[in-house]
Amino acid sequence: WDALPLLDGEEHRRRKRLILQAFMPQAFDKYIPVMEQNAAYYLERWEKLGSFTWLTEYRKMCASLSNALFVGQTPGSDSE
């Protein structure tokens, strides 16, 4: 296995440095507008739907947010 918690030495330090970049204040500044756009999309969607199953919609919203943050895809049915 080459998962970070199972690595030792220089390889562990190298990968940890890479991963920690995603949690720096500069990175969070880039996440906030994406999160706001995703939230706005789903609030509007839910308002139009009127009635829906929360768990299903929550899963779609989370998938959409993950795709937006990690792949750069815009919120919508293609990103769910």
Side-chain angles (χ1 to χ4, degrees):
W1 300 89
D2 62 346
L4 183 60
L6 303 176
L7 294 174
D8 290 320
E10 184 54 37
E11 184 61 17
H12 174 83
R13 285 187 289 280
R14 184 185 73 78
R15 288 200 191 176
K16 185 175 178 180
R17 279 192 303 272
L18 288 172
I19 290 172
L20 286 178
Q21 290 176 14
F23 300 98
M24 302 295 273
Q26 302 87 340
F28 281 111
D29 290 343
K30 294 176 183 174
Y31 300 157
I32 291 171
V34 174
M35 294 169 74
E36 288 174 339
Q37 181 185 18
N38 197 65
Y41 172 84
Y42 278 91
L43 288 172
E44 183 178 329
R45 171 188 168 95
W46 296 337
E47 186 175 22
K48 288 178 183 175
L49 287 173
S51 178
F52 54 89
T53 305
W54 272 107
L55 185 57
T56 302
E57 286 296 312
Y58 181 74
R59 286 179 176 158
K60 289 179 181 181
M61 182 187 72
C62 290
S64 179
L65 181 58
S66 295
N67 286 331
L69 291 173
F70 300 125
V71 192
Q73 200 165 17
T74 57
S77 59
D78 291 341
S79 66
E80 296 172 352

